[in-house]
Amino acid sequence: MLRLPVLLALLAVMADDPIKVGFATLASFEFKDGMTLPKEVTDLDEKLVTIRGFMQREVPGGGPVNQFMLVNESCGCNGTPKLPEVVFCTLPDGVTVDIKVSVATVTGKLFVGEVKEDGVVVMLYQMDADSVQ
Amino acid sequence: MKILLLLAVAVPAIAFWPSSQDPATTDWAKEVERACTSQRYGMRLAAGRKVAKGGAFAVDAIRAYATTKGLAAVPASLVDAVADEGTEEPAVVQLLRDWSMQRDFYWRANAMRGLALRAERLTGESAKGLRELFVSFHDDAAWLMRTSARFGSSVLGDDKALALAAPESDPRAIVRLTAQKLLAGKPAPLQPLLDALADERTFQGDPWGARLGDEAHKALKAWLGDAHPLANGGSFPDVPTGIAALLGPLRTKSGQDLKAPLARRDAAVEFAGGIEVLSCKHGDFFLQWTATGELHFGIDATKSLALPASKWDALSKECTQLALDGVLGDVVCDSMRLRWSKPNLHAKVAPASLPPAVTNWLKTFAQAIEEAGELRLAAALRAGLEQFAAR
């Protein structure tokens, strides 16, 4: 009799486990404005995910940040990160963190899809980040 | 009411109306400013592409911006956009040449790549001296620069000059050049890309091997096109499955005798610390050490050296006195990363930002390396210090 509640509890825990996502998946395609994004990335829309990468400021500066870009490498050796190679992360209001020197593991809800400003696509991946480790 | 309705329909329509601006009358100074300073990264990318599409019309504005704000204010995104656009106008080619020859310009390798991408199509003055330019950077200390230069020579079929270049030992350079040649439709052995798929090596927590794998897979996927097992999307459940699925199509299309790669992992050495110098100007330097003073050089830790115990004891004692944390200075491209466990320290330093105490310790370290017989490696560390020591 106890099996069903235990199973349900286990399923509930599993449902809350973030999906591990890599840049190999996020950046596996050449983006063109207006294209249909691949299913493997649209499937991640509004999912709780964990992504490992390097934190970068969107604009130069110093001090802790509430928003940052998560990219696949720290040195720019692969050229300018293209839009599929950047996750724009926002921490909860009032929460800030220092830009980490090492690889950061960021967990939060991912939003997938073109975001435009002045008719220009400025983002494909946004994350409401809950934690940075 | 009718006016409101008209406005409601017309405003969005005007906002998305395709603009066919005349490049001759475009305010390129404003566009360059946007490409360099927009707050949003995506806006900078888009503006960079627009400037690059402007070709020769935009060159004066780019040069004027660099003169006023300094070359370091020109972002990689703009240089990459100009490099990728492929326009053959002499003014653009000259801009790329000038950039590629500026040793102090962070993105000179990106500009050199732009020349390589156009090299086959250039004629007249634009083509003059291009072969020699590529050859002169074949053995540049910066791996990205020599890779772009060797790519240029490959595009021009300058095999004689390439044969005279020093053997390449940096795994990043080997993968990058192979990928570039493949994507440019030039003959390339695929085994280095296949090997990269199974690379799991790291340097002080940075999974550079996995990144090589991603880069190699992207190139192979583009090259295979419809023959790629995931041409219609999806992802492999794991790396070995992916490699097994790729081998057949790669062998068939290339006709090459390709072997399934063995996983490349870090050696079973416990490192107590390391220094990483990433310099687009002077080249990279990688050093890790064990608690007993065994030094390992290179991103792949292939070269080792044991320091005399007395030297190492003194160095490690001094090391425990050093305090450093977080990011020091404004890192644009070149950086020095220092990481060790006693005391726990992890810091990233911009050029001219390394505190004197750490600089002096590293000078002593370089001296010890020199005295142990590795003059070239000691010189490489000193070159890094010269760039990063606080002034």
Side-chain angles (χ1 to χ4, degrees), chain B residues 27 59 82 93 104 107 116 194 238 257-258 262 281 301 309 338 342 345 350 365:
Chain B
D27 184 350
V59 168
V82 174
V93 174
D104 284 338
W107 319 115
L194 206 51
D238 52 54
D257 179 22
L258 300 171
L262 295 173
K281 292 180 183 175
L338 305 105
K342 286 182 184 172
L345 179 151
F365 207 151

Side-chain angles (χ1 to χ4, degrees), chain B residues 14-54:
Chain B
I14 289 166
F16 293 102
W17 197 260
S19 61
S20 53
Q21 282 181 308
D22 180 357
T25 57
T26 298
D27 184 350
W28 289 112
K30 191 176 148 197
E31 298 299 336
V32 171
E33 182 88 26
R34 276 161 56 93
C36 298
T37 62
S38 283
Q39 292 287 305
R40 306 308 303 266
Y41 179 73
M43 289 295 215
R44 293 201 293 274
L45 288 186
R49 285 196 300 270
K50 184 173 179 182
V51 170
K53 280 187 196 302

Side-chain angles (χ1 to χ4, degrees), chain B residues 276-363:
Chain B
E276 167 192 272
V277 177
L278 301 177
S279 174
C280 301
K281 292 180 183 175
H282 304 295
D284 299 349
F285 176 82
F286 298 92
L287 165 63
Q288 295 176 99
W289 56 85
T290 65
T292 55
E294 192 181 301
L295 312 186
H296 291 251
F297 296 89
I299 192 170
D300 46 0
T302 44
K303 167 94 184 157
S304 61
L305 173 75
L307 287 185
S310 58
K311 284 272 178 206
W312 179 248
D313 288 347
L315 270 171
S316 29
K317 197 175 171 187
E318 276 180 53
C319 180
T320 58
Q321 310 299 316
L322 302 172
L324 214 57
D325 193 27
V327 182
L328 281 78
D330 188 9
V331 175
V332 177
C333 170
D334 293 4
S335 67
M336 176 184 272
R337 186 162 67 98
L338 305 105
R339 186 187 189 206
W340 49 80
S341 51
K342 286 182 184 172
N344 204 12
L345 179 151
H346 200 175
K348 194 169 188 176
V349 183
S353 304
L354 191 67
V358 186
T359 304
N360 290 335
W361 179 71
L362 287 173
K363 276 182 186 168

Side-chain angles (χ1 to χ4, degrees), chain B residues 248-273:
Chain B
L250 289 174
R251 282 177 179 144
T252 304
K253 184 167 179 182
S254 69
Q256 295 176 19
D257 179 22
L258 300 171
K259 293 177 177 58
L262 295 173
R264 287 180 177 175
R265 300 192 175 102
D266 294 328
V269 178
E270 196 174 326
F271 290 116

Side-chain angles (χ1 to χ4, degrees), chain A residues 55-59 62-68 91 95-99:
Chain A
M55 294 168 73
Q56 264 188 17
R57 293 171 193 281
E58 191 165 11
V59 285
V65 292
N66 173 258
Q67 296 182 324
F68 59 91
L91 290 159
V95 177
T96 59
V97 292
D98 286 319
I99 295 288

Side-chain angles (χ1 to χ4, degrees), chain B residues 151-225:
Chain B
F151 175 45
S153 292
S154 298
V155 167
L156 293 178
D158 202 351
D159 294 339
K160 274 187 187 171
L162 284 167
L164 295 172
E168 183 56 79
S169 59
D170 191 317
R172 299 168 299 171
I174 294 167
V175 168
R176 178 64 52 85
L177 183 57
T178 309
Q180 284 177 331
K181 283 160 68 174
L182 196 66
L183 295 175
K186 301 294 169 190
L190 300 187
Q191 193 64 50
L193 298 183
L194 206 51
D195 291 344
L197 297 178
D199 205 323
E200 300 172 12
R201 291 175 290 180
T202 62
F203 182 90
Q204 291 297 314
D206 177 22
W208 63 270
R211 226 167 24 242
L212 278 192
D214 290 349
E215 182 179 352
H217 183 236
K218 222 170 176 177
L220 291 171
K221 193 174 179 187
W223 183 70
L224 279 172

Side-chain angles (χ1 to χ4, degrees), chain B residues 96 100 108-116 133-134 137 145 148-149:
Chain B
L96 290 171
S100 67
R108 63 192 177 111
N110 308 45
M112 183 66 95
R113 185 178 62 83
L115 288 173
L133 179 70
F134 290 139
F137 288 99
M145 189 63 185
S148 291

